[in-house]
Each structure stands twice: as C-alpha cells, then as structure tokens.
C-alpha cells in the first residue's frame, strides 16, 4: 500500500495553524517533557517562540507566491538565498551546491495570543520532470529541514550557556550550528528529545550577534557524540591549509572587497581561474568564514582580509610558507619521529637555513612570514626592561640577535626615541632590514652587524632573542646563551621571546609549534623551567616570564651574579 505524501500546500497550512496556536510556555513544555516550575519560567523569560520552518518545492519561483497566498501568507519582502540549507541538501544528496538555488521567505503569522511570529519557508524550485524530483520526495518524507525556533532576547555568554545546559538536561541533544555573517546571528541546533510532543524533531536557538565563543563548546559536544565525524574533520585539516595557500597564491584576497560581493565569473577572469573550480574553492572558504557569500557574489571577511598582501599584519607569507616548503616537509613527520632525523633535511638534503640562503625568494618569504606574526610583539615596547632603558638619563642600546627584517627592533625604537639599536643578522638579511628600518625613520639610530651567534656585540644594555632558541637543540641553545652572557655587561638584561609549553597540558599553540620545530628545523618549544636550566648553564638567571599575544611569552634573564631575587621567580 502506497502512502500519499502531504502536498506543500497542506504542509504549509499545518505550519501556519501550528504557529498561530502555540505560545512560548506551552510549546516549551511540549518540546522538553518534564520541564516546569522555575526552569520553565527561566526559559520563558529568556527566549520566545519565533517561527516554525519547512522546505517546499514549487515548480517555479512564481508558484511559491501563489502557494503562500493560498495559505493566507503574505510576503512582500524579496526572497533571500539560504546557503545553510542549500549546503545541507548538497551534502545529503551528493549534489553540487551551486546548482541548488534555495531561497528563504519569512511571512508573518499573528498568534492567538496576539504575538507576531513567522513561518520560515525554504524553497527549492523543482520543475515537472526535473532530476530533482526524487530529492524533493525524500525531503518531504523525512522533513530534515523542518524545525522550531526560539529567539534569545538580551543574550550574554552566561545566559546562552545556561539555556544550552537547560535544553540538554531535558533531553535535547546538540546538533550543530553556525554564525551567519549577513544576518549577524548565531544559531544553536538541537535534536528534540525522543519523548517530545511538539511534532518537530529539530530545534533552533537563534541569538542576534556573534556568539561563536559559546557556540564552540556546543559544537564540541555535538562532535563528541559523533567520534567518526570528529576524526574525519581532523583528518581534513591539511585540506584547509592548502585551500588557504591556494587562496593566497591566486591573489584572490587582492581581487576581492570586504564590503561588496563580486561574482565568481568576474573573479575567475581577474585571477585567471576556471570558474566552476573557483566556485568550489570559495564555497569551502565560506565554510571557514574566510569569505562570505551574498546575492552579488563573494566578499572578504575580516579573517580573509588578513591574507591580502597590503593588509596591516598580512599573514599571506605564512599561508604560502605553511602551504609550501613546510607543508611538504610535514609529510615526513613519521620519519622524524621514527629516526630522529629532521624531515626538512631528509626531504631537501640540507637544513632549512642553508636551503633558504641558496634560494633568495624563499629566504625573503621566510623573513616575511616571521614578520607576519608581529602581533606577538605589540606589548614588548612596554615591558619594564624596555621602558626603563628608554627612560634612562643616558641613551641605552638594544641588541636584537638574529632579528630578521628588524620588525621587532623597529617597534621598540619607534616607542622609545632615546634608544639606539644594533641588529645582528646574516649578510643576506641585513640589507632588507636596513631598508625596513630606514623606511620607518629609525635608520639613524641603528647599527648593523653581519655575523653568527659568536659575533654578539658586547656592551649593550638590553639583548633580545626573539623566536631563536626554539630553532635549536639544547646543546646549541647553551652555546648561544654563553655567547650572550659573555657579551652582556653586569647590568644588562636579556629578553627571550618564545612560545612556552604549558605545565598542565592545556591547549596551546606552543604544543603545535613544538611538532613544527621538530619536523622542520630539529628544534623544540620548552617549558619555562627548561629555559631556566639552559640559562643557568650559561651563568644567567631567569627573573620572570610573562604572557604575549598568540600564545607567546617573554622570559627576562640577567647575569646570575647581578640577580638578587626579592620574591620567588614566577615561571608560568
């Protein structure tokens, strides 16, 4: 016996009646069995029933308006694209998302309690005889996109966490979510409890504004219930690296705007790409919030704009480096773990410093990639050691050891006009640093020394080792620190900028960079007490360790003979 599926008109009429008849307290009680008393009042005070949603399949867009009118729904507002539902349909049915033109309308319904709510109508046109007919039949049967929605009023992080926890206590299960930039709203999805009597198996909490910090915990709980999916997402991390690198290589960020969308065809002509393949790349990047899509095309997000070559603090060089030489060497991580050999050396036949020195374009890219993390440096000019040197009655000298293109030294000299600088670097790096510091107006206060760690200039007041020690094993680090100690006068300070491994195993970029250093240069990240032992071996004492952005830290050291601690040293 065949069961006749309800028509779209019948389904819409049922949704309209449902929205008209329900109120927030009654619906919450039906949705979450057992919910009553104070918790019900708490939920009613914090959120309201906003809409019921369903997906319909008119034969053509014009027919949708007639169907709405037949159900007593008026919608003068133009339809908007629904990227979320489009992508969910594409994933479920193995379709190309760009070939599914899903639109959304939100006609208003006045409830019996006088409240104005909506029926959220998703529509995919399916002409008679279309190859989308079976898709439509499947969706009408299973109602994957049908859901109830509650809008959170006056949200803050504590309220959101409390609401999510309350839903969970009464059997609702986290089922994904996301942030929609074009609406500036955050969505928390739940699967309704099995005992729910609301008639809908999916629930949405809609929260105005960007609440991705709270959403992250919700999504983590969702993934924890689906370990295979979680592992699959982890395994595709390499694809994200390459998608970002390709985005930068094609110069797409420079071809796009932050405020206005640009069509795929126009972008393809601009950067010399195949339109269909470019559309697929942009769709993936939209999922990462690197780009956003509107009716006119794709635009850059704030995140994506960081990959523009001309943006302040551009991270384009990092994308090219991590998607290029370092990406290739990371494929040899198992070789490094098994043998102790550095994967980069194994793949390229020499260490990365020598290899880059023989390939000037890579050396330049590497130096620019190091500068791309300059946000880490922002608090350093205000460090007490730097401030004291800058305010000294006699001009003081800051020695930046292996200081790259002078980014950090330039920041310090800009903040303290009385300071002088010395940059120690390899010969092929110094010219670029000289140009950079001259352009910043600091060249007249800076001297340059071409050489290696054995050539650390003597007589400075503040010495800096920024992201240097993590390149080397312990023996080489002790040697570098001995050179510093020998050059430092008794009053001098040493500042070491690194990512310091946490002592409690908590999440940190330092843990990821530890693998990176092991695989690409044979170095490592270290805990603060590890650095203290290396310093001690060189006649230096760790005075303090304080945090920097991007999970960085600055370790302050002095000569052991000059250091008399008044309080216990803080190592973390």
């Amino acid at each position: 016996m065949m069961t006749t599926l309800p028509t779209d008109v019948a389904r819409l009429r049922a949704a309209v009646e449902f929205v008209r008849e329900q109120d927030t307290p009654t619906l919450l009680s039906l949705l979450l069995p057992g919910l009553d008393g104070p918790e019900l009042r708490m939920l009613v005070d914090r959120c309201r029933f906003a809409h019921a949603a369903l997906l319909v399949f008119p034969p053509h867009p014009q027919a949708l308006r007639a169907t709405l009118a037949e159900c007593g729904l008026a919608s003068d507002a133009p339809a908007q694209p629904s990227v979320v539902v489009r992508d969910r349909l594409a994933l479920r049915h193995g379709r190309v998302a760009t070939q599914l033109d899903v639109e959304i309308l939100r006609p208003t319904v006045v409830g019996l309690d006088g409240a104005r709510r909506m029926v959220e109508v998703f529509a995919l046109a399916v002409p008679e005889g279309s190859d989308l007919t079976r898709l439509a039949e499947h969706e009408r049967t299973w109602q994957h996109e049908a859901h109830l929605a509650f809008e959170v009023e006056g949200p803050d992080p504590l309220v959101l966490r409390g609401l999510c926890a309350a839903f969970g206590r009464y059997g609702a299960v986290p089922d994904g979510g996301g942030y929609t930039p074009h609406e500036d709203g955050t969505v928390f999805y739940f699967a309704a409890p099995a005992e729910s009597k609301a008639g809908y198996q999916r629930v949405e909490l809609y929260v105005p504004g960007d609440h991705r910090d709270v959403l992250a915990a919700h999504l983590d709980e969702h993934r924890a219930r689906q370990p295979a999916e979680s592992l699959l997402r982890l395994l595709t991390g390499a694809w994200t690296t390459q998608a970002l690198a390709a985005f930068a290589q094609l110069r797409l960020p420079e071809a796009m705007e932050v405020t206005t969308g640009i069509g795929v065809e126009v972008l393809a002509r601009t950067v010399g790409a195949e339109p269909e393949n470019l559309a697929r790349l942009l769709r993936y990047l939209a999922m990462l919030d690197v780009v956003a899509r509107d009716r006119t095309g794709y635009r850059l997000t704030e995140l994506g704009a960081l990959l523009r070559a001309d943006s302040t603090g551009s991270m384009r060089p990092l994308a090219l480096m991590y998607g290029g030489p370092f990406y290739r060497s990371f494929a040899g991580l198992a070789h490094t773990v098994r043998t102790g050999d550095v994967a980069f050396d194994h793949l390229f036949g020499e260490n990365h410093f020598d290899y880059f020195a023989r390939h000037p374009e890579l050396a330049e890219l590497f130096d620019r990639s190091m500068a791309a993390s300059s946000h880490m440096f922002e608090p350093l000019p205000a460090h007490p050691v730097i401030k004291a040197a800058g305010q000294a009655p006699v001009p003081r000298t800051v020695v930046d050891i292996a200081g790259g293109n002078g980014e950090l030294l330039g920041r310090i000299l800009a903040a303290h006009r009385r300071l002088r600088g010395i940059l120690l670097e390899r010969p092929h790096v110094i010219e670029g640093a000289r140009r950079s510091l001259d352009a910043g107006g600091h060249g007249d206060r800076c001297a340059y020394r071409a050489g290696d760690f054995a050539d650390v200039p003597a007589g400075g007041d503040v010495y800096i080792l920024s992201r240097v020690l993590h390149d080397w094993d312990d023996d080489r680090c002790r040697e570098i620190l001995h050179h510093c100690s020998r050059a430092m006068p008794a009053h001098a300070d040493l500042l070491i900028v690194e990512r310091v491994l946490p002592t409690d195993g908590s999440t940190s970029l330092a843990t990821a960079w530890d693998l990176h250093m092991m695989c690409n240069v044979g170095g490592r990240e270290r805990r603060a007490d590890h650095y203290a032992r290396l310093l001690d071996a060189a006649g230096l004492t760790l005075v303090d360790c304080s945090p920097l952005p991007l999970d960085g830290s600055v370790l302050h050291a002095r000569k052991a003979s000059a250091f008399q601690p008044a309080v216990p040293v803080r190592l973390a």
Side-chain angles (χ1 to χ4, degrees):
M1 175 180 173
M2 294 185 63
T3 302
T4 302
L5 294 174
T7 65
D8 286 344
V9 172
R11 294 167 59 232
L12 265 172
R13 282 177 172 160
V16 170
E17 288 306 306
F18 184 91
V19 171
R20 181 175 289 122
E21 293 173 0
Q22 295 299 331
D23 58 46
T24 301
T26 303
L27 186 53
L28 282 169
S29 297
L30 290 172
L31 177 68
L32 304 174
L35 176 66
D36 57 16
E39 283 203 300
L40 174 59
R41 288 194 295 274
M42 183 275 288
L43 288 178
V44 171
D45 288 342
R46 296 297 189 182
C47 61
R48 65 175 184 85
F49 174 40
H51 69 251
L54 74 164
L55 173 61
V56 299
F57 303 92
H60 48 79
Q62 294 77 11
L64 175 62
R65 300 284 181 172
T67 300
L68 292 175
E70 189 175 346
C71 297
L73 297 171
S75 181
D76 298 326
Q80 299 293 323
S82 176
V83 176
V84 173
V85 172
R86 180 202 69 181
D87 289 350
R88 284 167 56 86
L89 285 173
L91 184 62
R92 274 200 299 274
H93 297 278
R95 296 277 181 163
V96 177
T98 53
Q99 296 175 358
L100 300 176
D101 189 13
V102 181
E103 295 186 323
I104 181 172
L105 287 163
R106 296 186 175 99
T108 300
V109 173
V110 179
L112 297 179
D113 58 356
R116 295 175 69 83
R117 305 187 183 94
M118 293 180 295
V119 176
E120 190 169 73
V121 183
F122 303 107
L124 173 63
V126 179
E128 187 175 349
S130 166
D131 65 347
L132 295 174
T133 301
R134 291 185 62 182
L135 179 153
E137 290 174 353
H138 173 92
E139 293 296 325
R140 285 192 182 108
T141 301
W142 294 101
Q143 301 282 351
H144 293 295
E145 299 306 325
H147 66 261
L148 299 175
F150 295 84
E151 182 168 344
V152 180
E153 299 178 330
D156 64 50
L158 284 177
V159 168
L160 291 182
R161 290 187 177 94
L163 289 174
C164 290
F167 270 62
R169 279 194 297 276
Y170 289 91
V173 177
D175 190 32
Y179 171 68
T180 53
H182 64 282
E183 291 183 356
D184 189 28
T186 309
V187 175
F188 297 75
Y189 289 124
F190 295 86
E195 303 81 9
S196 172
K197 296 178 175 57
Y200 286 78
Q201 294 307 307
R202 203 153 176 263
V203 187
E204 167 190 311
L205 276 182
Y206 178 81
V207 191
D210 185 348
H211 301 279
R212 279 176 283 188
D213 51 346
V214 181
L215 178 66
H218 179 79
L219 295 178
D220 285 345
E221 187 174 348
H222 169 58
R223 295 181 188 119
R225 296 172 182 272
Q226 303 178 60
E229 179 182 333
S230 297
L231 181 59
L232 200 57
R233 290 180 183 275
L234 293 173
L235 288 170
T236 61
W239 303 352
T240 297
T241 302
Q242 284 301 319
L244 293 170
F247 188 55
Q249 289 164 2
L250 292 167
R251 293 281 185 177
L252 279 160
E254 290 79 11
M256 298 175 70
E257 301 291 339
V258 174
T259 55
T260 307
I262 301 175
V264 172
E265 295 284 346
V266 175
L267 282 172
R269 287 195 299 271
T270 302
V271 303
E274 198 282 320
E276 175 60 23
N277 288 351
L278 177 58
R280 294 160 74 175
L281 172 63
L282 290 169
R283 181 176 68 212
Y284 183 84
L285 293 168
M287 187 173 69
L288 303 176
D289 196 31
V290 174
V291 301
R293 191 184 184 201
D294 56 29
R295 292 192 70 84
T296 60
Y298 284 95
R299 62 174 180 83
L300 278 178
T301 63
E302 183 180 0
L303 193 68
L306 287 172
L307 291 172
R308 291 183 68 122
D310 58 354
S311 69
T312 302
S314 171
M315 300 183 79
R316 182 176 188 272
L318 278 175
L320 298 176
M321 185 61 69
Y322 292 162
F326 289 155
Y327 185 89
R328 292 176 61 195
S329 59
F330 236 105
L333 178 59
H335 173 82
T336 294
V337 173
R338 184 170 50 247
T339 68
D341 296 337
V342 178
F344 191 100
D345 300 11
H346 177 70
L347 179 66
F348 292 97
E350 57 187 326
N351 73 66
H352 103 267
F353 295 109
D354 291 339
Y355 183 81
F356 286 0
R358 292 194 304 103
H359 295 82
E361 73 287 353
L362 284 178
E364 182 185 359
L365 178 62
F366 175 73
D367 288 333
R368 285 191 285 115
S369 72
M370 292 289 285
S373 298
S374 61
H375 178 53
M376 183 188 292
F377 302 150
E378 287 178 2
L380 272 174
H383 190 280
V385 165
I386 303 291
K387 285 181 67 175
Q391 295 168 3
V394 177
R396 302 289 189 177
T397 299
V398 177
V399 181
D400 194 356
I401 304 163
N405 70 351
E407 169 74 23
L408 173 54
L409 186 57
R411 284 175 179 263
I412 292 171
L413 296 179
H416 302 282
R417 305 302 300 180
R418 289 171 54 81
L419 287 178
R420 299 185 177 277
I422 299 176
L423 182 75
L424 172 67
E425 253 299 354
R426 297 155 292 167
H428 72 276
V429 177
I430 279 182
E431 284 311 308
R434 190 190 303 274
R435 288 192 297 271
S436 176
L437 287 163
D438 283 348
H442 316 306
D444 60 335
R445 291 187 288 134
C446 194
Y448 303 89
R449 177 75 62 87
D452 204 342
F453 296 115
D455 304 304
V456 175
D461 300 291
V462 179
Y463 288 76
I464 295 177
L465 281 169
S466 176
R467 296 180 297 175
V468 171
L469 296 181
H470 73 166
D471 288 335
W472 307 101
D473 62 22
D474 283 1
D475 288 341
R476 183 64 163 144
C477 283
R478 280 187 284 267
E479 181 183 338
I480 293 168
L481 291 170
H482 272 295
H483 291 311
C484 293
S485 181
R486 186 182 67 243
M488 291 168 60
H491 72 275
D493 296 280
L494 172 64
L495 298 181
I496 299 169
V497 178
E498 295 288 359
R499 288 189 171 96
V500 175
L501 287 169
T503 58
D504 59 1
S506 57
T507 301
S508 170
L509 285 174
T511 306
W513 253 258
D514 189 39
L515 272 189
H516 171 64
M517 305 315 295
M518 177 181 73
C519 189
N520 284 291
V521 298
R524 63 185 303 168
E525 306 295 354
R526 298 170 172 90
R527 294 185 357 175
D529 57 352
H530 192 156
Y531 280 114
R533 292 192 295 274
L534 295 175
L535 288 161
D536 184 65
L540 300 164
T541 296
L542 180 60
V543 178
D544 189 59
C545 178
S546 50
L548 293 173
L550 301 179
D551 269 359
S553 294
V554 55
L555 300 103
H556 173 205
R558 301 199 76 191
K559 282 200 165 185
S561 59
F563 177 60
Q564 299 294 329
V567 294
V569 175
R570 177 164 55 89
L571 296 181

